[in-house]
mmCIF file of all heavy atoms in Angstrom:
data_model
loop_
_atom_site.group_PDB
_atom_site.id
_atom_site.type_symbol
_atom_site.label_atom_id
_atom_site.label_comp_id
_atom_site.label_asym_id
_atom_site.label_seq_id
_atom_site.Cartn_x
_atom_site.Cartn_y
_atom_site.Cartn_z
ATOM 1 N N GLY A 95 105.468 -13.985 109.132
ATOM 2 C CA GLY A 95 104.527 -13.438 110.103
ATOM 3 C C GLY A 95 103.226 -14.203 110.239
ATOM 4 O O GLY A 95 102.369 -13.817 111.044
ATOM 5 N N MET A 96 103.057 -15.273 109.475
ATOM 6 C CA MET A 96 101.847 -16.093 109.611
ATOM 7 C C MET A 96 101.800 -16.723 111.002
ATOM 8 O O MET A 96 102.823 -17.174 111.519
ATOM 9 C CB MET A 96 101.831 -17.227 108.573
ATOM 10 C CG MET A 96 101.125 -16.928 107.289
ATOM 11 S SD MET A 96 100.950 -18.460 106.303
ATOM 12 C CE MET A 96 100.052 -17.823 104.905
ATOM 13 N N THR A 97 100.615 -16.793 111.565
ATOM 14 C CA THR A 97 100.451 -17.547 112.796
ATOM 15 C C THR A 97 100.547 -19.033 112.480
ATOM 16 O O THR A 97 100.384 -19.464 111.332
ATOM 17 C CB THR A 97 99.088 -17.259 113.434
ATOM 18 O OG1 THR A 97 98.052 -17.738 112.548
ATOM 19 C CG2 THR A 97 98.899 -15.765 113.698
ATOM 20 N N ASP A 98 100.801 -19.831 113.498
ATOM 21 C CA ASP A 98 100.837 -21.280 113.299
ATOM 22 C C ASP A 98 99.511 -21.781 112.736
ATOM 23 O O ASP A 98 99.488 -22.669 111.869
ATOM 24 C CB ASP A 98 101.134 -21.987 114.626
ATOM 25 C CG ASP A 98 102.564 -21.787 115.096
ATOM 26 O OD1 ASP A 98 103.396 -21.309 114.287
ATOM 27 O OD2 ASP A 98 102.848 -22.109 116.264
ATOM 28 N N GLU A 99 98.429 -21.211 113.195
ATOM 29 C CA GLU A 99 97.109 -21.633 112.726
ATOM 30 C C GLU A 99 96.933 -21.319 111.243
ATOM 31 O O GLU A 99 96.440 -22.148 110.470
ATOM 32 C CB GLU A 99 96.016 -20.940 113.534
ATOM 33 C CG GLU A 99 94.603 -21.357 113.147
ATOM 34 C CD GLU A 99 93.545 -20.656 113.987
ATOM 35 O OE1 GLU A 99 93.900 -19.809 114.822
ATOM 36 O OE2 GLU A 99 92.348 -20.974 113.799
ATOM 37 N N ALA A 100 97.341 -20.115 110.843
ATOM 38 C CA ALA A 100 97.222 -19.732 109.437
ATOM 39 C C ALA A 100 98.130 -20.595 108.566
ATOM 40 O O ALA A 100 97.754 -20.993 107.448
ATOM 41 C CB ALA A 100 97.569 -18.251 109.265
ATOM 42 N N TRP A 101 99.345 -20.882 109.052
ATOM 43 C CA TRP A 101 100.284 -21.745 108.308
ATOM 44 C C TRP A 101 99.670 -23.122 108.088
ATOM 45 O O TRP A 101 99.700 -23.659 106.984
ATOM 46 C CB TRP A 101 101.591 -21.834 109.082
ATOM 47 C CG TRP A 101 102.713 -22.541 108.364
ATOM 48 C CD1 TRP A 101 102.722 -23.825 107.907
ATOM 49 C CD2 TRP A 101 103.983 -21.988 108.003
ATOM 50 N NE1 TRP A 101 103.919 -24.122 107.321
ATOM 51 C CE2 TRP A 101 104.715 -23.017 107.347
ATOM 52 C CE3 TRP A 101 104.596 -20.755 108.195
ATOM 53 C CZ2 TRP A 101 106.009 -22.824 106.887
ATOM 54 C CZ3 TRP A 101 105.890 -20.567 107.728
ATOM 55 C CH2 TRP A 101 106.586 -21.591 107.080
ATOM 56 N N ARG A 102 99.101 -23.693 109.155
ATOM 57 C CA ARG A 102 98.495 -25.025 109.030
ATOM 58 C C ARG A 102 97.314 -25.009 108.065
ATOM 59 O O ARG A 102 97.134 -25.938 107.272
ATOM 60 C CB ARG A 102 98.063 -25.533 110.402
ATOM 61 C CG ARG A 102 99.215 -26.064 111.263
ATOM 62 C CD ARG A 102 98.699 -26.836 112.472
ATOM 63 N NE ARG A 102 97.997 -25.968 113.398
ATOM 64 C CZ ARG A 102 98.566 -25.344 114.419
ATOM 65 N NH1 ARG A 102 99.858 -25.483 114.648
ATOM 66 N NH2 ARG A 102 97.850 -24.588 115.235
ATOM 67 N N ALA A 103 96.495 -23.947 108.134
ATOM 68 C CA ALA A 103 95.342 -23.853 107.243
ATOM 69 C C ALA A 103 95.787 -23.773 105.778
ATOM 70 O O ALA A 103 95.190 -24.400 104.896
ATOM 71 C CB ALA A 103 94.493 -22.639 107.608
ATOM 72 N N GLN A 104 96.835 -22.991 105.534
ATOM 73 C CA GLN A 104 97.362 -22.902 104.175
ATOM 74 C C GLN A 104 97.898 -24.252 103.714
ATOM 75 O O GLN A 104 97.665 -24.675 102.583
ATOM 76 C CB GLN A 104 98.476 -21.859 104.105
ATOM 77 C CG GLN A 104 99.033 -21.688 102.689
ATOM 78 C CD GLN A 104 100.389 -21.004 102.684
ATOM 79 O OE1 GLN A 104 101.354 -21.503 103.264
ATOM 80 N NE2 GLN A 104 100.470 -19.864 102.024
ATOM 81 N N HIS A 105 98.598 -24.930 104.605
ATOM 82 C CA HIS A 105 99.212 -26.189 104.195
ATOM 83 C C HIS A 105 98.180 -27.260 103.888
ATOM 84 O O HIS A 105 98.400 -28.110 103.023
ATOM 85 C CB HIS A 105 100.192 -26.703 105.252
ATOM 86 C CG HIS A 105 101.225 -27.607 104.665
ATOM 87 N ND1 HIS A 105 101.070 -28.981 104.634
ATOM 88 C CD2 HIS A 105 102.389 -27.344 104.025
ATOM 89 C CE1 HIS A 105 102.114 -29.516 104.033
ATOM 90 N NE2 HIS A 105 102.929 -28.550 103.652
ATOM 91 N N VAL A 106 97.048 -27.227 104.546
ATOM 92 C CA VAL A 106 95.972 -28.161 104.215
ATOM 93 C C VAL A 106 95.559 -27.984 102.756
ATOM 94 O O VAL A 106 95.307 -28.965 102.038
ATOM 95 C CB VAL A 106 94.772 -27.973 105.165
ATOM 96 C CG1 VAL A 106 93.544 -28.727 104.640
ATOM 97 C CG2 VAL A 106 95.121 -28.471 106.566
ATOM 98 N N ILE A 107 95.488 -26.737 102.299
ATOM 99 C CA ILE A 107 95.165 -26.479 100.897
ATOM 100 C C ILE A 107 96.228 -27.087 99.989
ATOM 101 O O ILE A 107 95.916 -27.754 98.992
ATOM 102 C CB ILE A 107 95.036 -24.965 100.641
ATOM 103 C CG1 ILE A 107 93.867 -24.397 101.429
ATOM 104 C CG2 ILE A 107 94.878 -24.669 99.152
ATOM 105 C CD1 ILE A 107 93.823 -22.876 101.453
ATOM 106 N N PHE A 108 97.514 -26.875 100.334
ATOM 107 C CA PHE A 108 98.602 -27.446 99.536
ATOM 108 C C PHE A 108 98.533 -28.973 99.525
ATOM 109 O O PHE A 108 98.749 -29.609 98.489
ATOM 110 C CB PHE A 108 99.955 -26.997 100.079
ATOM 111 C CG PHE A 108 100.260 -25.524 99.903
ATOM 112 C CD1 PHE A 108 101.322 -24.951 100.565
ATOM 113 C CD2 PHE A 108 99.489 -24.722 99.079
ATOM 114 C CE1 PHE A 108 101.628 -23.608 100.404
ATOM 115 C CE2 PHE A 108 99.772 -23.368 98.912
ATOM 116 C CZ PHE A 108 100.849 -22.814 99.582
ATOM 117 N N GLU A 109 98.261 -29.562 100.669
ATOM 118 C CA GLU A 109 98.171 -31.018 100.763
ATOM 119 C C GLU A 109 97.061 -31.555 99.865
ATOM 120 O O GLU A 109 97.246 -32.552 99.143
ATOM 121 C CB GLU A 109 97.892 -31.432 102.207
ATOM 122 C CG GLU A 109 99.018 -31.154 103.182
ATOM 123 C CD GLU A 109 98.532 -31.149 104.623
ATOM 124 O OE1 GLU A 109 97.409 -31.633 104.881
ATOM 125 O OE2 GLU A 109 99.267 -30.653 105.495
ATOM 126 N N GLN A 110 95.905 -30.915 99.913
ATOM 127 C CA GLN A 110 94.778 -31.376 99.110
ATOM 128 C C GLN A 110 95.058 -31.211 97.622
ATOM 129 O O GLN A 110 94.725 -32.087 96.813
ATOM 130 C CB GLN A 110 93.514 -30.619 99.513
ATOM 131 C CG GLN A 110 93.031 -30.945 100.912
ATOM 132 C CD GLN A 110 91.851 -30.082 101.350
ATOM 133 O OE1 GLN A 110 91.580 -29.031 100.765
ATOM 134 N NE2 GLN A 110 91.149 -30.522 102.376
ATOM 135 N N ALA A 111 95.687 -30.083 97.256
ATOM 136 C CA ALA A 111 96.033 -29.866 95.857
ATOM 137 C C ALA A 111 97.033 -30.920 95.382
ATOM 138 O O ALA A 111 96.912 -31.455 94.269
ATOM 139 C CB ALA A 111 96.612 -28.465 95.670
ATOM 140 N N ALA A 112 98.020 -31.230 96.219
ATOM 141 C CA ALA A 112 99.019 -32.236 95.860
ATOM 142 C C ALA A 112 98.371 -33.596 95.650
ATOM 143 O O ALA A 112 98.714 -34.319 94.701
ATOM 144 C CB ALA A 112 100.087 -32.319 96.953
ATOM 145 N N PHE A 113 97.440 -33.936 96.505
ATOM 146 C CA PHE A 113 96.797 -35.241 96.364
ATOM 147 C C PHE A 113 95.950 -35.307 95.098
ATOM 148 O O PHE A 113 95.920 -36.331 94.411
ATOM 149 C CB PHE A 113 95.935 -35.553 97.590
ATOM 150 C CG PHE A 113 95.538 -36.999 97.681
ATOM 151 C CD1 PHE A 113 96.423 -37.949 98.147
ATOM 152 C CD2 PHE A 113 94.282 -37.418 97.275
ATOM 153 C CE1 PHE A 113 96.069 -39.290 98.219
ATOM 154 C CE2 PHE A 113 93.916 -38.752 97.339
ATOM 155 C CZ PHE A 113 94.815 -39.691 97.812
ATOM 156 N N ARG A 114 95.273 -34.197 94.758
ATOM 157 C CA ARG A 114 94.488 -34.180 93.513
ATOM 158 C C ARG A 114 95.405 -34.331 92.301
ATOM 159 O O ARG A 114 95.058 -35.002 91.330
ATOM 160 C CB ARG A 114 93.691 -32.882 93.391
ATOM 161 C CG ARG A 114 92.637 -32.647 94.446
ATOM 162 C CD ARG A 114 91.599 -33.750 94.536
ATOM 163 N NE ARG A 114 90.475 -33.363 95.357
ATOM 164 C CZ ARG A 114 90.461 -33.295 96.674
ATOM 165 N NH1 ARG A 114 91.562 -33.586 97.360
ATOM 166 N NH2 ARG A 114 89.371 -32.959 97.347
ATOM 167 N N LEU A 115 96.567 -33.696 92.346
ATOM 168 C CA LEU A 115 97.528 -33.840 91.258
ATOM 169 C C LEU A 115 98.035 -35.268 91.179
ATOM 170 O O LEU A 115 98.069 -35.883 90.093
ATOM 171 C CB LEU A 115 98.690 -32.865 91.476
ATOM 172 C CG LEU A 115 99.929 -33.014 90.590
ATOM 173 C CD1 LEU A 115 99.576 -32.940 89.110
ATOM 174 C CD2 LEU A 115 100.959 -31.948 90.952
ATOM 175 N N LEU A 116 98.414 -35.835 92.302
ATOM 176 C CA LEU A 116 98.929 -37.203 92.338
ATOM 177 C C LEU A 116 97.912 -38.192 91.802
ATOM 178 O O LEU A 116 98.269 -39.134 91.082
ATOM 179 C CB LEU A 116 99.310 -37.574 93.771
ATOM 180 C CG LEU A 116 99.838 -38.986 94.012
ATOM 181 C CD1 LEU A 116 101.164 -39.204 93.307
ATOM 182 C CD2 LEU A 116 99.966 -39.256 95.509
ATOM 183 N N ARG A 117 96.655 -37.997 92.133
ATOM 184 C CA ARG A 117 95.600 -38.944 91.759
ATOM 185 C C ARG A 117 94.815 -38.505 90.533
ATOM 186 O O ARG A 117 93.737 -39.045 90.267
ATOM 187 C CB ARG A 117 94.650 -39.148 92.946
ATOM 188 C CG ARG A 117 95.313 -39.830 94.140
ATOM 189 C CD ARG A 117 95.963 -41.134 93.755
ATOM 190 N NE ARG A 117 96.524 -41.853 94.895
ATOM 191 C CZ ARG A 117 97.598 -42.625 94.831
ATOM 192 N NH1 ARG A 117 98.235 -42.773 93.690
ATOM 193 N NH2 ARG A 117 98.038 -43.257 95.906
ATOM 194 N N CYS A 118 95.322 -37.552 89.778
ATOM 195 C CA CYS A 118 94.662 -37.186 88.530
ATOM 196 C C CYS A 118 94.556 -38.432 87.651
ATOM 197 O O CYS A 118 95.555 -39.126 87.429
ATOM 198 C CB CYS A 118 95.467 -36.103 87.816
ATOM 199 S SG CYS A 118 94.662 -35.473 86.326
ATOM 200 N N PRO A 119 93.368 -38.758 87.142
ATOM 201 C CA PRO A 119 93.200 -40.030 86.429
ATOM 202 C C PRO A 119 93.815 -40.060 85.039
ATOM 203 O O PRO A 119 93.920 -41.133 84.443
ATOM 204 C CB PRO A 119 91.675 -40.189 86.353
ATOM 205 C CG PRO A 119 91.149 -38.795 86.428
ATOM 206 C CD PRO A 119 92.092 -38.058 87.324
ATOM 207 N N ILE A 120 94.208 -38.903 84.522
ATOM 208 C CA ILE A 120 94.850 -38.858 83.202
ATOM 209 C C ILE A 120 96.322 -38.481 83.363
ATOM 210 O O ILE A 120 96.704 -37.906 84.380
ATOM 211 C CB ILE A 120 94.130 -37.872 82.264
ATOM 212 C CG1 ILE A 120 94.119 -36.462 82.858
ATOM 213 C CG2 ILE A 120 92.718 -38.361 81.958
ATOM 214 C CD1 ILE A 120 93.512 -35.414 81.948
ATOM 215 N N PRO A 121 97.157 -38.799 82.377
ATOM 216 C CA PRO A 121 98.588 -38.501 82.502
ATOM 217 C C PRO A 121 98.867 -37.005 82.642
ATOM 218 O O PRO A 121 98.275 -36.179 81.938
ATOM 219 C CB PRO A 121 99.173 -39.050 81.200
ATOM 220 C CG PRO A 121 98.219 -40.118 80.774
ATOM 221 C CD PRO A 121 96.866 -39.611 81.170
ATOM 222 N N VAL A 122 99.781 -36.689 83.546
ATOM 223 C CA VAL A 122 100.232 -35.313 83.760
ATOM 224 C C VAL A 122 101.734 -35.276 83.495
ATOM 225 O O VAL A 122 102.497 -35.996 84.144
ATOM 226 C CB VAL A 122 99.933 -34.830 85.189
ATOM 227 C CG1 VAL A 122 100.420 -33.391 85.371
ATOM 228 C CG2 VAL A 122 98.443 -34.937 85.510
ATOM 229 N N ILE A 123 102.146 -34.435 82.554
ATOM 230 C CA ILE A 123 103.551 -34.298 82.198
ATOM 231 C C ILE A 123 104.028 -32.944 82.696
ATOM 232 O O ILE A 123 103.492 -31.904 82.293
ATOM 233 C CB ILE A 123 103.757 -34.397 80.678
ATOM 234 C CG1 ILE A 123 103.132 -35.683 80.132
ATOM 235 C CG2 ILE A 123 105.250 -34.331 80.337
ATOM 236 C CD1 ILE A 123 103.054 -35.710 78.612
ATOM 237 N N ALA A 124 105.027 -32.935 83.566
ATOM 238 C CA ALA A 124 105.603 -31.685 84.037
ATOM 239 C C ALA A 124 106.662 -31.221 83.043
ATOM 240 O O ALA A 124 107.566 -31.978 82.685
ATOM 241 C CB ALA A 124 106.219 -31.863 85.416
ATOM 242 N N ALA A 125 106.528 -29.975 82.581
ATOM 243 C CA ALA A 125 107.516 -29.369 81.694
ATOM 244 C C ALA A 125 108.276 -28.333 82.502
ATOM 245 O O ALA A 125 107.721 -27.299 82.880
ATOM 246 C CB ALA A 125 106.830 -28.722 80.495
ATOM 247 N N VAL A 126 109.537 -28.617 82.793
ATOM 248 C CA VAL A 126 110.309 -27.820 83.750
ATOM 249 C C VAL A 126 111.389 -27.014 83.042
ATOM 250 O O VAL A 126 112.260 -27.575 82.378
ATOM 251 C CB VAL A 126 110.943 -28.720 84.825
ATOM 252 C CG1 VAL A 126 111.822 -27.900 85.758
ATOM 253 C CG2 VAL A 126 109.861 -29.448 85.618
ATOM 254 N N GLU A 127 111.299 -25.707 83.182
ATOM 255 C CA GLU A 127 112.363 -24.786 82.793
ATOM 256 C C GLU A 127 112.818 -24.056 84.050
ATOM 257 O O GLU A 127 112.001 -23.718 84.906
ATOM 258 C CB GLU A 127 111.864 -23.764 81.769
ATOM 259 C CG GLU A 127 111.357 -24.344 80.473
ATOM 260 C CD GLU A 127 112.451 -24.797 79.515
ATOM 261 O OE1 GLU A 127 113.642 -24.647 79.849
ATOM 262 O OE2 GLU A 127 112.094 -25.299 78.433
ATOM 263 N N GLY A 128 114.107 -23.806 84.168
ATOM 264 C CA GLY A 128 114.606 -23.092 85.333
ATOM 265 C C GLY A 128 114.498 -23.948 86.581
ATOM 266 O O GLY A 128 114.663 -25.168 86.538
ATOM 267 N N VAL A 129 114.206 -23.311 87.704
ATOM 268 C CA VAL A 129 114.259 -24.010 88.981
ATOM 269 C C VAL A 129 112.946 -24.702 89.314
ATOM 270 O O VAL A 129 111.865 -24.186 89.042
ATOM 271 C CB VAL A 129 114.666 -23.063 90.127
ATOM 272 C CG1 VAL A 129 116.047 -22.496 89.901
ATOM 273 C CG2 VAL A 129 113.645 -21.947 90.321
ATOM 274 N N ALA A 130 113.068 -25.872 89.896
ATOM 275 C CA ALA A 130 111.954 -26.597 90.516
ATOM 276 C C ALA A 130 112.465 -26.969 91.904
ATOM 277 O O ALA A 130 113.153 -27.980 92.081
ATOM 278 C CB ALA A 130 111.575 -27.835 89.719
ATOM 279 N N LEU A 131 112.161 -26.131 92.870
ATOM 280 C CA LEU A 131 112.749 -26.261 94.200
ATOM 281 C C LEU A 131 111.673 -26.430 95.261
ATOM 282 O O LEU A 131 110.574 -25.875 95.148
ATOM 283 C CB LEU A 131 113.591 -25.025 94.532
ATOM 284 C CG LEU A 131 114.765 -24.736 93.598
ATOM 285 C CD1 LEU A 131 115.439 -23.428 93.994
ATOM 286 C CD2 LEU A 131 115.769 -25.884 93.619
ATOM 287 N N GLY A 132 112.004 -27.206 96.297
ATOM 288 C CA GLY A 132 111.074 -27.387 97.404
ATOM 289 C C GLY A 132 109.745 -27.918 96.907
ATOM 290 O O GLY A 132 109.674 -28.941 96.212
ATOM 291 N N GLY A 133 108.681 -27.212 97.282
ATOM 292 C CA GLY A 133 107.357 -27.622 96.829
ATOM 293 C C GLY A 133 107.236 -27.653 95.322
ATOM 294 O O GLY A 133 106.427 -28.410 94.771
#
């Protein structure tokens, strides 16, 4: 039920968070149990 505008606004937050994770200056180790799907 999100409007297109609300969806885009939310995704900007996800995009920025992803870039901060990608460019974290120290090593980041993902510890995965169970599913890691999509995002």
Side-chain angles (χ1 to χ4, degrees):
M96 267 190 178
T97 65
D98 289 347
E99 182 179 3
W101 187 301
R102 282 193 294 269
Q104 182 198 61
H105 204 267
V106 168
I107 296 169
F108 292 168
E109 293 161 15
Q110 292 174 342
F113 195 79
R114 296 303 192 285
L115 170 56
L116 178 65
R117 294 306 184 212
C118 185
I120 59 176
V122 180
I123 306 168
V126 176
E127 299 283 359
V129 298
L131 300 176

